[in-house]
């Protein structure tokens, strides 16, 4: 029987859920509070420059392929992918950087040149990471987090010890050079926690990095949003922007509709891809499954200070993706997770999409995206944003041996306060809830409300976790739970 389904938000998980639910034959409408769709993956354009506002790394291409395959499509039906070489570059000092190439053999050679014997160790490490990837990404993450038994398989039983050790501990057993250690610890930062707090099993992220490579949709990550929007519309989904949901209406412990701009819109089922904590504030207190105390006790992934910068010249000595690890990695991590404060000397990431995509900037110019990870809930002021831009640009100029500050046409910033305003993000988090041992699978907030019938959730604060590929999977899991409930 066809059901009327209202979806809150238009990020990756909402778009994915809408496609699956429409494919099931339901009447699906997405309601987005902002003027454009994509959630954190919105696009920003100014003076001929184009920027992805959020996700900029295209990893785990197989997850995207599996998503489109579910609709007898493939990514290439909608967008072109370019494999980046180098995938990224990591800067440790002046004329001191390591380029991560697009294949494991070249990466092993780079490691061996720095630490003798590390090539063999890296192959062994990546082989184990691939084994974990095959278990996690091809199987476990496609389970809805309903029961702890979902994690019990013959394969995971053999890897039980990996849930009680950390990624950092395992890496440091094998590698001694601090630069190589930081490169290997970097991928798990996408999961939102310190490498010392991330279970060893999550080293599958290293296979995603070195094994599968770093890709770029031809004109940016928003290509994926546009592809999913097109697919959703082809399946009959309706998308309404400028539609902030003010309240979820509950009668007899069942969600029956939403309130938007003072108008009640009835629905048989409601799915929220908006921030989970915010969504529950749209309910009366007795209908909320998680208290403020619960949210306060969770480990959240970082917020970020972002800068979108237009340059009137081409930038030299830089790759599409670049990480600046020329300061204390562990101190910055402590400033995020242990003693939240603005880091004195921040690590930062720079992304120059115009190195790959000629449409990202006018001819002869460059578009630059800079990101500093920060503790969620931190103070955010114009003065602090200015100070930290000055810090990172000075270091960027020094490390890449060039002057660029006087070539800035414009810069726009986006930080904790904007994450709260634009996305209703809890404490202004950028990546959701961290995937620590006690926040994995069935220990994460549930896809299905425990207190309100016909109310479901999807996205980075629920199962399976943060990141774009998990968001696609989350949408599928929620749609499957709804389909199962409709059959029963």
């Amino acid at each position: 029987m066809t059901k009327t389904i209202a979806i809150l938000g238009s990020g990756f998980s909402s778009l994915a859920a809408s496609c699956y639910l429409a494919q099931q034959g339901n009447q699906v409408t997405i309601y987005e509070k902002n003027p454009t769709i994509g959630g954190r993956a919105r696009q920003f354009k100014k003076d001929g420059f184009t920027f992805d506002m959020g996700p900029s790394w295209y990893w785990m291409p197989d997850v995207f392929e599996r998503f489109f395959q579910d609709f007898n499509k493939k990514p290439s039906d909608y967008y072109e992918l370019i494999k980046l070489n180098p995938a990224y570059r990591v800067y440790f000092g002046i004329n001191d950087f390591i380029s991560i190439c697009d294949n494991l053999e070249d990466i092993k050679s780079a490691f061996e040149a720095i630490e003798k014997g590390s090539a063999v160790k890296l192959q062994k490490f990546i082989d184990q990471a691939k084994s974990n990837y095959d278990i996690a990404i091809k199987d476990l993450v496609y389970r809805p987090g309903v029961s702890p038994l979902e994690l019990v398989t013959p394969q995971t039983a053999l890897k039980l010890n990996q849930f009680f050790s950390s990624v950092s501990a395992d890496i440091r057993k094998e590698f001694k050079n601090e630069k190589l250690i930081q490169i290997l610890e970097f991928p798990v930062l996408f999961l939102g926690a310190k490498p010392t707090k991330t279970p060893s099993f999550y080293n599958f992220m290293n296979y995603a990095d070195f094994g599968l490579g770093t890709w770029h949709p031809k004109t940016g990550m928003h290509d994926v949003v546009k592809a999913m929007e097109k697919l959703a519309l082809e399946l009959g989904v309706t998308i309404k922007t400028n539609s902030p949901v003010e309240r979820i209406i509950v009668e007899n412990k069942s969600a029956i509709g939403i309130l938007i701009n003072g108008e009640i819109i009835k629905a048989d089922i409601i799915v929220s891809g908006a921030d989970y904590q915010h969504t529950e504030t749209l309910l009366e207190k007795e209908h909320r499954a998680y208290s403020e105390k619960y949210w306060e006790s969770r480990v959240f992934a970082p917020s970020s200070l972002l800068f979108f910068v237009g340059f009137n010249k081409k930038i030299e000595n830089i790759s599409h993706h670049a990480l600046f690890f020329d300061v204390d990695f562990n101190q910055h991590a402590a400033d995020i997770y242990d003693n939240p404060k603005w880091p004195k000397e921040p690590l930062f990431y720079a992304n120059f999409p115009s190195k790959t995509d000629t449409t990202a900037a006018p001819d002869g110019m460059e578009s630059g995206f800079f990101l500093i990870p920060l503790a969620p809930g931190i103070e955010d002021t114009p003065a602090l944003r200015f100070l930290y831009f000055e810090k990172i640009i000075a270091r960027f100029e020094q490390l890449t041996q060039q002057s660029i500050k006087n070539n800035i046409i414009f810069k726009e910033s986006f930080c904790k306060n904007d994450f709260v305003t634009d996305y209703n993000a809890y404490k202004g988090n950028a990546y959701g809830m961290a995937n620590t041992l006690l926040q994995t699978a069935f220990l994460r907030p549930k896809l299905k409300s425990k207190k309100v019938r016909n109310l479901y959730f999807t996205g980075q604060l629920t199962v399976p976790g943060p990141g774009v590929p998990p968001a696609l999977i989350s949408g599928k899991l929620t749609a499957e739970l709804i389909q199962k409930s409709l059959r029963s």
Side-chain angles (χ1 to χ4, degrees):
M1 189 198 313
T2 298
K3 295 290 183 181
T4 301
I5 300 178
I7 298 181
L8 283 59
S10 64
F12 284 116
S13 59
S14 291
L15 288 168
S18 76
C19 291
Y20 287 109
L21 290 166
Q23 184 186 48
Q24 293 168 16
N26 298 298
Q27 184 182 327
V28 182
T29 304
I30 289 174
Y31 298 92
E32 167 57 54
K33 75 183 282 285
N34 291 309
T36 57
I37 70 163
R40 286 165 168 78
R42 290 184 298 159
Q43 204 172 51
F44 168 61
K45 294 190 176 190
K46 183 172 181 174
D47 299 344
F49 294 83
T50 302
F51 305 86
D52 285 316
M53 292 186 68
S56 58
W57 295 77
Y58 192 105
W59 275 7
M60 305 184 186
D62 51 318
V63 175
F64 295 86
E65 289 163 10
R66 186 165 170 177
F67 168 77
F68 285 105
Q69 192 174 45
D70 284 342
F71 304 93
N72 296 315
K73 304 282 187 181
K74 40 189 193 297
S76 59
D77 292 334
Y78 297 97
Y79 55 88
E80 181 183 337
L81 278 179
I82 299 163
K83 193 173 189 183
L84 299 181
N85 189 25
Y88 54 93
R89 188 179 280 178
V90 187
Y91 290 79
F92 297 98
I94 298 171
N95 296 321
D96 182 9
F97 63 83
I98 299 173
S99 290
I100 302 302
C101 293
D102 66 349
N103 66 89
L104 184 57
E105 289 306 312
D106 284 348
I107 297 169
K108 283 162 58 180
S109 296
F111 270 52
E112 187 68 23
I114 293 168
E115 181 180 312
K116 190 168 177 58
S118 62
V120 172
K121 292 177 180 178
L122 181 61
Q123 183 66 62
K124 179 184 172 186
F125 184 77
I126 296 300
D127 286 345
Q128 185 194 68
K130 181 184 186 303
S131 171
N132 289 353
Y133 188 92
D134 290 341
I135 295 167
I137 304 303
K138 296 180 180 178
D139 182 17
L140 290 186
V141 293
Y142 285 91
R143 302 184 182 200
V146 174
S147 163
L149 295 177
E150 292 172 6
L151 298 179
V152 181
T153 69
Q155 291 80 10
T156 57
L158 295 173
K159 295 179 179 284
L160 193 60
N161 63 315
Q162 291 188 33
F163 288 92
F164 299 99
S165 179
S166 74
V167 165
S168 182
D170 284 6
I171 290 169
R172 289 172 185 275
K173 281 177 195 168
E174 299 294 336
F175 302 90
K176 303 307 174 196
N177 184 278
E178 199 62 32
K179 294 173 186 175
L180 300 186
I181 289 169
Q182 289 181 14
I183 289 171
L184 289 169
E185 288 183 340
F186 150 68
V188 300
L189 297 179
F190 284 109
L191 302 173
K194 291 167 67 173
T196 54
K197 298 292 186 183
T198 303
S200 301
F201 184 73
Y202 284 103
N203 70 9
F204 61 72
M205 293 296 291
N206 292 102
Y207 176 70
D209 181 0
F210 290 178
L212 298 175
T214 301
W215 301 76
H216 185 70
K218 188 174 182 180
T219 59
M221 286 293 287
H222 199 69
D223 284 0
V224 186
V225 172
K226 289 187 283 190
M228 295 178 73
E229 176 190 28
K230 187 176 180 186
L231 175 60
L233 295 174
E234 288 168 353
L235 291 164
V237 175
T238 301
I239 301 175
K240 295 187 177 183
T241 54
N242 297 306
S243 300
V245 176
E246 300 156 31
R247 188 156 58 90
I248 295 171
I249 300 164
V250 177
E251 286 184 3
N252 299 320
K253 296 185 179 178
S254 288
I256 63 158
I258 51 180
L259 184 70
I260 295 179
N261 298 324
E263 178 190 356
I264 293 175
I265 298 168
K266 293 289 184 74
D268 298 314
I269 293 167
I270 294 165
V271 177
S272 179
D275 180 274
Y276 204 122
Q277 182 272 343
H278 167 74
T279 302
E280 289 220 310
T281 68
L282 304 177
L283 297 163
E284 298 296 333
K285 272 195 174 178
E286 66 265 27
H287 299 314
R288 299 174 192 173
Y290 301 99
S291 66
E292 280 304 306
K293 187 176 178 182
Y294 169 85
W295 295 113
E296 190 65 39
S297 70
R298 299 299 89 186
V299 178
F300 272 81
S303 184
S304 296
L305 170 54
L306 313 173
F307 294 103
F308 309 103
V309 188
F311 295 96
N312 65 8
K313 71 170 186 178
K314 301 303 285 185
I315 309 299
E316 300 174 352
N317 308 326
I318 197 72
S319 57
H320 182 120
H321 294 296
L323 303 166
F324 291 83
F325 286 179
D326 55 309
V327 297
D328 192 328
F329 184 102
N330 294 319
Q331 182 57 53
H332 190 155
D335 291 340
I336 293 174
Y337 295 105
D338 302 336
N339 181 25
K341 62 182 178 182
W342 281 82
K344 187 176 179 182
E345 294 296 339
L347 304 168
F348 68 96
Y349 156 65
N351 168 23
F352 293 89
S354 46
K355 290 293 179 190
T356 305
D357 170 18
T358 57
T359 69
D363 286 348
M365 302 187 188
E366 207 88 84
S367 58
F369 167 102
F370 298 83
L371 181 154
I372 302 172
L374 297 170
I378 206 164
E379 179 189 18
D380 172 14
T381 67
L384 282 164
R385 296 187 190 197
F386 176 81
L387 173 65
Y388 277 79
F389 185 73
E390 295 293 303
K391 279 178 182 277
I392 65 171
I393 286 299
R395 277 174 40 212
F396 183 93
E397 289 185 324
Q398 183 183 35
L399 293 167
T400 62
Q401 297 287 278
Q402 64 191 310
S403 173
I404 63 168
K405 190 174 176 183
N406 294 332
N407 298 100
I408 294 172
I409 302 170
F410 67 84
K411 78 172 189 296
E412 300 285 346
S413 64
F414 196 96
C415 197
K416 187 267 290 186
N417 292 347
D418 302 301
F419 280 100
V420 173
T421 301
D422 287 11
Y423 309 130
N424 296 310
Y426 182 70
K427 291 187 175 181
N429 79 83
Y431 307 103
M433 189 185 290
N435 259 338
T436 60
L437 179 62
L438 297 178
Q439 293 182 174
T440 293
F442 68 97
L443 296 173
R444 296 180 72 80
K446 301 299 183 187
L447 293 166
K448 184 177 183 179
S449 172
K450 295 187 285 185
K451 291 199 171 183
V452 179
R453 288 186 295 273
N454 302 327
L455 175 60
Y456 294 81
F457 298 85
T458 189
Q460 59 186 9
L461 264 65
T462 182
V463 180
V468 178
L472 300 186
I473 295 166
S474 187
K476 178 174 184 170
L477 294 175
T478 301
E480 288 176 344
L481 276 184
I482 291 170
Q483 186 176 39
K484 185 178 178 182
S485 72
L486 293 177
R487 285 174 176 168
S488 60

